[in-house]
């Protein structure tokens, strides 16, 4: 705002062209070309934000147009596009999951030293504070939702859907944020989970691993998580929820089943029957063969029969 009000620039390069905060590459090329005609040098912070937001493209015409730019900003954009932009960083903590399940927080990614100085200054500290500012942080890195998720210290539920709508890999940090809200702020967490599934971005195996670690953690409100998964299933996503449970149940039922295994199996019965799932799960079969008439054993028998 200060740049515009001061008259230093007639417009900002970094204004997004998409609700996620992303900026179309051809649009950015045209904006820089217009500033070149006006002999205006964009502010370094504006250019840095534009580079973080621009969508990398393989369109030869756009790349040629960027190469034809002669200003410093034009050369920076051409280099940025040719190098593929900001590299993606892995948020998975080392040695996770450990043999003894425990809940961990995502690793905070180090600042990429290859960033232009203004971009590094724009991203600021490795951990972002500010509950209400979280959606704006996500919009600063619209192609790096996993890094944004790992950086935000206090994650509001309102941030989850913008995270799911954003671009780039959805890794440990994204699923960690969603899983953390399934116990408390379940509606946006379920919405984000379903949105990732609809977009084809849901990593079933990773989400299932986070689920079984969380459900085996001390102090976990397991019934709330099960209720949230049921909420997701009842939108019609029975097959999606079943695919998560199919990966998680073997670990959750192995040796000593979790305390709420009966409720989890009841959800699995509902999902498997609705989506027509078939196939054996040895841990379900072993639990169904146990003596006794507990609800857990009864539900294991029902699930076994449905799958067989």
């Amino acid at each position: 705002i200060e740049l515009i009000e001061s008259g230093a620039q007639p417009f900002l390069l970094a204004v997004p062209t998409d609700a996620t905060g992303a900026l179309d590459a051809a649009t950015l090329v045209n904006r820089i070309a217009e500033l070149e005609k006006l002999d205006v040098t964009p502010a370094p912070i504006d250019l840095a934000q534009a580079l973080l937001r621009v969508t990398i493209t393989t369109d030869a015409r756009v790349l040629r147009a960027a190469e034809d730019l002669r200003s410093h900003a034009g050369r920076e954009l051409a280099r940025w596009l040719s190098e593929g932009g900001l590299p993606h960083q892995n948020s998975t903590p080392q040695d996770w999951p450990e043999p003894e399940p425990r809940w961990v927080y995502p690793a905070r990614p180090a600042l990429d030293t290859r960033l232009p100085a203004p971009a590094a200054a724009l991203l600021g500290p490795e951990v972002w504070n500010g509950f209400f500012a979280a959606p704006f942080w996500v919009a600063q890195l619209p192609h790096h939702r996993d890094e944004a998720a790992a950086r935000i210290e206090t994650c509001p539920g309102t941030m989850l859907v913008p995270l799911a709508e954003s671009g780039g890999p959805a890794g440990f940090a994204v699923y960690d944020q969603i899983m953390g809200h399934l116990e408390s702020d379940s509606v946006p967490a379920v919405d984000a989970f379903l949105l990732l599934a609809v977009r084809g971005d849901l990593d079933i195996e990773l989400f299932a691993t986070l689920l079984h670690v969380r459900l085996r953690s001390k102090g976990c409100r397991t019934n709330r998580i099960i209720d949230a998964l049921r909420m997701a299933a009842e939108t019609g996503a029975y097959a999606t929820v079943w695919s998560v449970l199919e990966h998680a149940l073997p670990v959750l039922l192995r040796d000593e089943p979790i305390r709420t295994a009966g409720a989890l199996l009841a959800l699995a019965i509902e999902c498997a029957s609705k989506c027509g799932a078939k196939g054996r799960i040895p841990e379900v079969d072993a639990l169904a063969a146990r003596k006794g008439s507990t609800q857990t054993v009864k539900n294991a028998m029902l699930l076994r029969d449905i799958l067989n």
Side-chain angles (χ1 to χ4, degrees):
I1 295 176
E2 292 178 0
L3 288 174
I4 300 300
E5 290 180 346
S6 67
Q9 286 182 221
F11 54 83
L12 294 175
L13 296 178
V15 175
T17 55
D18 189 271
T20 64
L23 173 56
D24 176 67
T27 299
L28 181 54
V29 168
N30 291 336
R31 288 176 181 174
I32 293 178
E34 186 63 26
L35 289 186
E36 287 185 358
K37 292 177 183 177
L38 298 173
D39 197 25
V40 172
T41 300
I45 201 73
D46 182 30
L47 175 60
Q49 179 63 89
L51 294 179
L52 291 176
R53 283 181 167 165
V54 70
T55 302
I56 300 302
T57 181
T58 57
D59 188 321
R61 291 174 298 178
V62 176
L63 296 177
R64 282 196 302 270
E67 292 288 346
D68 289 340
L69 297 170
R70 292 291 172 261
S71 63
H72 168 73
R75 291 193 300 273
E76 284 291 295
L77 174 60
R79 180 188 62 81
W80 188 263
L81 292 177
S82 67
E83 293 180 358
L86 181 67
H88 295 293
Q89 301 188 60
N90 186 1
S91 66
T92 306
Q94 292 183 347
D95 303 323
W96 185 90
E98 295 182 344
E100 181 65 26
R102 67 183 181 88
W103 194 239
V104 295
Y105 293 96
R108 307 299 180 182
L111 285 174
D112 194 306
T113 56
R114 290 169 292 177
L115 280 176
L122 184 65
L123 292 179
E126 293 182 15
V127 178
W128 292 336
N129 296 302
F131 187 88
F132 297 104
F136 299 101
W137 291 121
V138 176
Q140 281 199 324
L141 288 171
H143 308 293
H144 298 269
R145 56 185 163 191
D146 200 50
E147 179 169 339
R151 282 174 171 270
I152 296 171
E153 184 174 50
T154 303
C155 172
T158 53
M159 190 198 77
L160 297 179
V161 169
L163 263 180
E165 290 176 334
S166 195
F172 180 95
V174 170
Y175 294 112
D176 170 72
Q177 298 283 19
I178 293 173
M179 187 66 63
H181 281 273
L182 285 178
E183 290 183 64
S184 55
D185 201 3
S186 59
V187 172
V190 167
D191 287 345
F193 169 80
L194 293 173
L195 186 55
L196 287 172
V198 167
R199 291 167 58 125
D201 293 339
L202 184 63
D203 187 329
I204 296 294
E205 186 173 351
L206 176 56
F207 190 84
T209 304
L210 278 162
L211 176 65
H212 84 67
V213 172
R214 187 58 171 164
L215 291 178
R216 282 197 178 276
S217 297
K218 292 181 180 179
C220 174
R221 292 177 285 185
T222 54
N223 283 324
R224 287 183 177 242
I225 292 180
I226 294 170
D227 288 343
L229 291 175
R230 178 172 284 104
M231 184 193 307
E234 289 175 349
T235 66
Y238 292 103
T240 300
V241 175
W242 166 251
S243 65
V244 171
L245 296 177
E246 184 180 22
H247 280 80
L249 281 174
V251 182
L252 293 171
L253 300 180
R254 191 174 300 148
D255 301 324
E256 186 60 32
I258 63 169
R259 179 173 50 84
T260 51
L264 193 66
L265 285 166
L267 175 60
I269 289 167
E270 183 178 0
C271 291
S273 60
K274 292 282 188 180
C275 70
K278 298 296 177 185
R280 291 183 63 250
I281 298 178
E283 290 78 7
V284 172
D285 294 347
L287 185 57
R290 290 187 183 184
K291 295 180 180 180
S293 58
T294 65
Q295 195 61 50
T296 298
V297 172
K298 288 180 179 178
N299 285 350
M301 294 172 64
L302 285 172
L303 181 57
R304 177 198 62 189
D305 294 343
I306 289 170
L307 294 177
N308 293 337

